[in-house]
Amino acid sequence: MEHWTSDQSPPRPPPCNPPLYTFGRPWPEFNDGLSYTDLIKCSTSAPTLIDFYASNYNNSAPIEGWLHRIRNGQIAVDGKVVKDPDFILREGSKVIYHRLPWKEPSAPYLLDVLYEDDDIVVINKPSGLQVLPGGLFQQRTVLTQLQWREWRVKTLSPPSAKRKASQAHPVPVHRLGRGTSGLLLCAKTKVAKVRLASYFAEKTANAASDRIESEFCNTRQISKFYRALVTGIIEDDEVMITQPIGLVKYHGVAQGLYVASSTGKSAMSKVHVLERELQRNQTLVQVEIQSGRPHQIRIHLAYIGHPLLGDPLYCDGGVPKICTTDSSNGSFAEDGGYEKPVQPVPGDCGYHLHAHWLVLCHPTSNERITMVAPLPSLLQTQAERSLET
């Protein structure tokens, strides 16, 4: 962590973009379920059905859960349902596990569009909505709402070239945590998707070599600014955090949990204090991230001893509040999978973080544009709140 002073006040956004329109379809009570397909390759002896799933997908369910799924008729081999766990699989057999439809946790579905042209669309994501499918949320995501909407490509000439470059629907080019609200950038064409992805990749790759610059907005393809409310009083007006972020094993998160780690990948966050609330022992900050590590702002602010207010997962030091080992006792959930972890996981909400504004070099016109999402009242300064009254 570094402390620095500058002669300039923190970068400020222009007035926020009013929504162009709102879209979204209410979620059905149950999703459509999922199917997972595998082709059997026998390196040694032919495995049994239960051996195959218990050894290759033990992060999905305990062996007792896989036995339940097999006996429940949820697995087919070469097109026929097999309920015998000891069924011998042959080389080249196609096995399909059918995950039954389930009721996903509650999530908002309405999305405000703040900017749209032929290449990109920018939405204001509400807190509580996951961006891409994962875990319990396979349908109730931003991606699903983008897929459900009929999108039109406006063009004059040449129409055939534009249609070839367009996609069936916009796709997000970066992620926001489920509990994070604010600007989400989506690409409407393949060209825009590739170029925007390269902006984020270059930004992250340069994090280790970036220096403190007062004119960073003018030199980068994209700059993103967040608002956050943290616990405690940050004494310095400006703080640079360069703590690496890496993965550790964590029960309930199959891929591992991102934490502050000396052996992790480089990450950089610039923190500007906007307001200190001494009576509540809270600090309102603006954060510009110069890398895109998962949960970076939550981890970095916790690392310096100021976790986000209401964060159920990260505490001082940028590590989880609770870290237990896998204590599976053979029990499983209704669908055969592991029971929901008791300890907090990254998708849990409650913290206060908002992707407030960004400066972007347009992927096709190269025009520099600025987009701003309205702030939740809790993340406004007193001056900003007074302007609205």
Side-chain angles (χ1 to χ4, degrees):
M1 180 177 68
E2 301 176 16
H3 306 277
W4 89 97
T5 59
S6 67
D7 297 330
Q8 297 181 344
S9 59
R12 299 282 185 173
C16 67
N17 301 59
L20 300 177
Y21 60 90
T22 301
F23 75 95
R25 186 187 303 178
W27 307 116
E29 183 178 5
F30 291 89
N31 62 25
D32 298 327
L34 290 171
S35 294
Y36 303 87
T37 302
D38 287 281
L39 290 176
I40 301 301
K41 297 180 180 179
C42 304
S43 56
T44 55
S45 59
T48 63
L49 191 58
I50 185 60
D51 286 343
F52 173 77
Y53 280 105
S55 60
N56 289 283
Y57 296 102
N58 61 343
N59 62 340
S60 169
I63 187 171
E64 294 84 0
W66 280 116
L67 287 169
H68 168 80
R69 291 169 172 176
I70 293 170
R71 290 165 179 161
N72 197 40
Q74 293 176 238
I75 296 176
V77 180
D78 295 327
K80 296 182 179 179
V81 173
V82 175
K83 295 185 178 183
D84 180 7
D86 297 320
F87 181 86
I88 303 296
L89 297 172
R90 298 177 299 174
E91 175 79 23
S93 290
K94 182 168 77 171
V95 295
I96 302 177
Y97 157 53
H98 298 280
R99 186 176 180 183
L100 301 177
W102 71 95
K103 187 175 182 179
E104 298 184 11
S106 177
Y109 65 89
L110 291 175
L111 299 171
D112 288 338
V113 173
L114 303 180
Y115 178 90
E116 184 180 8
D117 60 27
D118 285 2
D119 301 285
I120 61 176
V121 58
V122 180
I123 65 174
N124 185 14
K125 185 188 87 69
S127 175
L129 180 61
Q130 193 157 297
V131 174
L132 299 176
L136 292 176
F137 294 92
Q138 295 294 327
Q139 184 179 71
R140 299 185 178 189
T141 66
V142 172
L143 181 62
T144 299
Q145 291 293 348
L146 293 173
Q147 291 172 335
W148 283 351
R149 176 176 169 77
E150 183 177 347
W151 299 88
R152 297 179 181 177
V153 177
K154 301 176 183 178
T155 184
L156 296 176
S157 64
S160 59
K162 195 67 176 183
R163 290 193 190 100
K164 288 180 182 178
S166 66
Q167 300 173 138
H169 56 81
V171 293
V173 294
H174 64 101
R175 296 195 188 201
L176 295 177
R178 189 168 75 91
T180 304
S181 59
L183 294 172
L184 182 67
L185 186 59
C186 305
K188 296 175 72 176
T189 66
K190 295 176 182 178
V191 171
K193 178 182 177 182
V194 170
R195 290 183 180 173
L196 291 172
S198 70
Y199 292 174
F200 285 102
E202 181 181 7
K203 184 181 178 74
T204 298
N206 291 339
S209 59
D210 267 348
R211 307 314 308 164
I212 300 169
E213 304 172 21
S214 59
E215 300 297 332
F216 50 86
C217 284
N218 296 327
T219 60
R220 300 196 178 97
Q221 304 281 26
I222 187 167
S223 295
K224 294 169 60 183
F225 302 86
Y226 292 73
R227 281 285 180 95
L229 188 60
V230 305
T231 58
I233 303 300
I234 299 179
E235 296 182 358
D236 296 280
D237 292 339
E238 298 168 320
V239 181
M240 173 76 77
I241 308 171
T242 56
Q243 170 63 31
I245 293 174
L247 277 170
V248 297
K249 290 183 178 181
Y250 187 79
H251 182 49
V253 184
Q255 296 80 13
L257 179 68
Y258 286 93
V259 299
S261 170
S262 59
T263 59
K265 295 183 178 180
S266 61
M268 180 181 290
S269 302
K270 292 181 177 181
V271 180
H272 293 268
V273 171
L274 300 178
E275 201 167 77
R276 298 177 178 90
E277 299 186 33
L278 299 179
Q279 291 185 341
R280 296 182 179 180
N281 195 34
Q282 300 169 1
T283 305
L284 182 65
V285 297
Q286 174 174 280
V287 185
E288 193 226 350
I289 57 172
Q290 297 187 7
S291 52
R293 307 302 177 197
H295 316 300
Q296 177 174 320
I297 293 177
R298 297 170 65 187
I299 294 169
H300 269 181
L301 287 167
Y303 175 74
I304 64 171
H306 297 281
L308 268 61
L309 182 68
D311 194 329
L313 178 59
Y314 293 104
C315 63
D316 292 3
V319 295
K321 295 178 179 180
I322 303 173
C323 191
T324 60
T325 57
D326 186 352
S327 57
S328 176
N329 57 5
S331 62
F332 52 88
E334 185 178 354
D335 71 342
Y338 288 105
E339 297 280 3
K340 187 180 185 302
V342 176
Q343 70 269 31
V345 293
D348 292 342
C349 303
Y351 56 90
H352 301 280
L353 180 62
H354 182 72
H356 184 201
W357 61 291
L358 64 83
V359 181
L360 170 72
C361 181
H362 194 279
T364 58
S365 70
N366 292 323
E367 176 188 1
R368 191 165 291 274
I369 57 178
T370 301
M371 285 160 279
V372 187
L375 284 165
S377 59
L378 197 63
L379 295 178
Q380 293 177 322
T381 63
Q382 291 184 4
E384 290 166 338
R385 285 193 292 268
S386 65
L387 290 175
E388 293 189 352
T389 58

